Amino acid sequence: MLKFDFSNLMADSVGQSDGLTANDISALAESAKGAHQKFNGWRESREAIFFDVVNDPDLTRGIADKASEIASRFENLVVLGIGGSALGLRCLAQALLPAQWNLRTSEARGRKPRIFVCDNIDPDAFSGLLDTIGAERTCFMVISKSGGTTETAAQYLVARGRLKAALGDRWKKNVIAVTDPARGVLREIVQKEGLDSFPVPPMLGGRFSVLCSVGLLPAACLGIDIEAMLQGARDMAKRCSAATLDENPAYRIGGFQHWFDAKKRKNISVMIPYSDSLMLASDWYAQLWAESLGKEGKGSTPVKALGATDQHSQVQLYMEGPRDKVFTFLGVERFRADDSATRISDAEGAYAYLNGKDMGEILRAEQQATTKALASQGRPSMTVSFPAVDARHMGEFFMAYETATAFAGALYGVNPFDQPGVELGKKLTREMLAKA
């Protein structure tokens, strides 16, 4: 299981003025009772459907067969989406696929397709991709629950034009949609054109959707073990069903983050993975936390970093800058590469201290040293340790942080499942384009 270490959030580690005391935790435990009731209310109303949907026996229906078909027919899988329709998949691909996946031969990829996640509408990038891969050899998976997202609509329409030019009436065989099962613009297109499609649970918001067809279908196309990922999510949901702060790791994550914001004015939440494979976990977290909690003048600001890279660009600020941050380290106990592949055996002179060390050992030492250095300066942090970066532990991670975010929403007194600020921007974009 994932391991959670909260010791460097405590006053014993970072000092009374910057850390949690026993009295603080007792007060927070009282607040947690009401927040737990609120969270259970959201489960009953299905606003927090993410927590229970992983137990739905129909969740993966048809995915294995469709994934096998896509892998056998196409060299490339292009996912058209933005925000929650893209970030979870990008995180999964970075975490679980072998490094340099798209540069590997088809045989080295197990005859699975290359993956391209198009989460923006930069014209140079998008047209350059289409020019490079060849539309006829590509499956385009358009992901949007409503179908009304301007960026995804633009991607789909441009890709459809390329497909029609290359394949004529056969273009539909290269498109699959993931959308609401009954309503929305994209569902109407699916019905009109007879496109293949998979459903998104109607009340499941995009940033909470990685553990449904939004993330599971493309992940399965790449050979990722989605059953193991779901099992990890279910295991974490059991841990996070506990009502008390001391038994529920997600409640501690969300509760402690909220406490530091509300009581210590530490309103910046920095996530620092010490692993390239987990690099995009902080991107996924940033959207989840910001879009769920940034409402009514409330919420803390998520910031992403990467260890050890950002020890040489951001840590100076973290050590001696404003005392307005709480840090989360993501560590890996066992990397996929064999230790011997990066073990140093001929270091001498000034480099002698590296002799016999492998890169994983060095990276873990860097993480521990940074954590210790921050604590010495009264900078609180917690650590999430992955025994290994695999499908099961990624499922645990997603469920833990989705639950933590919802619980923090209950403490903040905001609805973590809507995004009114985003919707206004979407509305104004459509109005401007219609007038033009």
Side-chain angles (χ1 to χ4, degrees):
M1 296 185 291
L2 289 185
K3 302 171 186 175
F4 301 92
D5 183 354
F6 301 98
S7 59
N8 282 321
L9 296 175
M10 304 304 160
D12 290 347
S13 295
V14 297
Q16 294 279 335
S17 61
D18 290 285
L20 280 153
T21 67
N23 288 338
D24 295 325
I25 294 175
S26 294
L28 180 56
E30 286 299 311
S31 300
K33 294 177 181 178
H36 175 68
Q37 291 178 348
K38 184 67 174 177
F39 178 65
N40 280 341
W42 282 328
R43 287 180 64 187
E44 291 174 7
S45 68
R46 297 181 66 79
E47 290 174 279
I49 188 177
F50 74 86
F51 194 82
D52 299 292
V53 75
V54 294
N55 295 307
D56 184 346
D58 293 329
L59 187 63
T60 60
R61 177 174 293 177
I63 284 182
D65 290 342
K66 181 54 65 175
S68 177
E69 177 190 335
I70 289 172
S72 67
R73 290 181 54 209
F74 298 106
E75 295 178 18
N76 310 299
L77 174 62
V78 172
V79 173
L80 308 178
I82 198 166
S85 297
L87 280 169
L89 174 61
R90 290 182 62 220
C91 174
L92 276 175
Q94 178 77 14
L96 301 180
L97 296 180
Q100 308 301 331
W101 175 262
N102 285 353
L103 297 181
R104 293 172 177 246
T105 64
S106 176
E107 289 74 18
R109 298 194 310 270
R111 301 198 177 278
K112 304 299 183 185
R114 291 185 287 259
I115 178 67
F116 302 91
V117 183
C118 300
D119 60 349
N120 208 346
I121 51 171
D122 181 282
D124 292 336
F126 195 65
S127 62
L129 173 64
L130 297 184
D131 291 342
T132 302
I133 62 175
E136 66 278 4
R137 301 188 303 275
T138 301
C139 175
F140 291 88
M141 188 176 295
V142 53
I143 302 178
S144 175
K145 189 172 75 170
S146 69
T149 305
T150 298
E151 297 88 348
T152 306
Q155 292 171 340
Y156 164 70
L157 293 170
V158 172
R160 186 182 69 178
R162 293 287 189 105
L163 285 172
K164 285 183 174 181
L167 300 173
D169 292 340
R170 294 180 291 116
W171 71 270
K172 300 173 187 179
K173 300 296 185 182
N174 289 50
V175 176
I176 185 169
V178 179
T179 189
D180 188 279
R183 64 183 68 185
V185 177
L186 189 52
R187 177 53 59 184
E188 293 175 4
I189 292 173
V190 166
Q191 293 170 344
K192 176 183 176 182
E193 303 289 358
L195 302 178
D196 282 341
S197 68
F198 278 76
V200 180
M203 294 191 71
L204 187 61
R207 58 189 176 275
F208 291 90
S209 67
V210 65
L211 294 171
C212 78
S213 55
V214 169
L216 299 179
L217 175 58
C221 294
L222 303 170
I224 291 172
D225 188 347
I226 63 172
E227 293 298 336
M229 187 162 61
L230 287 172
Q231 187 58 54
R234 288 190 285 264
D235 290 344
M236 181 56 69
K238 290 179 183 177
R239 294 174 71 182
C240 297
S241 296
T244 60
L245 196 68
D246 61 337
E247 294 179 301
N248 191 320
Y251 283 10
R252 275 175 279 171
I253 294 169
F256 291 162
Q257 291 277 0
H258 172 264
W259 183 88
F260 277 104
D261 180 13
K263 302 298 184 181
K264 296 293 184 180
R265 296 185 178 180
K266 297 183 186 295
N267 62 350
I268 297 176
S269 173
V270 184
M271 181 172 280
I272 314 177
Y274 268 73
S275 163
D276 281 4
S277 63
L278 292 174
M279 177 172 59
L280 295 181
S282 56
D283 289 64
W284 175 82
Y285 163 71
Q287 188 214 2
L288 177 70
W289 194 260
E291 197 168 73
S292 298
L293 304 178
K295 295 156 190 173
E296 303 173 17
K298 303 173 184 178
S300 56
T301 300
V303 172
K304 57 186 180 180
L306 178 66
T309 301
D310 287 318
Q311 288 179 210
H312 301 272
S313 64
Q314 297 180 27
V315 164
Q316 173 61 42
L317 171 70
Y318 299 159
M319 286 287 293
E320 299 184 7
R323 309 177 77 86
D324 56 359
K325 301 171 187 68
V326 181
F327 301 90
T328 300
F329 291 87
L330 305 183
V332 178
E333 297 176 4
R334 186 178 70 254
F335 289 89
R336 282 191 289 266
D338 190 271
D339 293 345
S340 62
T342 61
R343 182 167 290 124
I344 298 165
S345 59
D346 57 353
E348 57 189 22
Y351 297 146
Y353 69 99
L354 294 174
N355 215 30
K357 308 297 189 299
D358 62 80
M359 284 188 173
E361 185 178 359
I362 296 168
L363 191 59
R364 285 188 289 269
E366 297 260 18
Q367 176 192 333
Q368 293 164 10
T370 304
T371 305
K372 187 175 181 179
L374 286 169
S376 74
Q377 299 301 307
R379 315 294 169 130
S381 69
M382 58 166 286
T383 298
V384 182
S385 296
F386 286 71
V389 180
D390 56 24
R392 188 184 187 96
H393 291 108
M394 289 305 297
E396 287 187 68
F397 174 77
F398 289 136
M399 180 58 71
Y401 269 87
E402 288 176 6
T403 306
T405 301
F407 182 75
L411 291 173
Y412 275 112
V414 301
N415 182 353
F417 305 111
D418 64 5
Q419 53 281 332
V422 177
E423 296 304 321
L424 177 59
K426 291 180 179 180
K427 177 177 179 291
L428 293 175
T429 297
R430 289 192 292 269
E431 290 179 356
M432 292 173 65
L433 291 170
K435 289 179 181 178

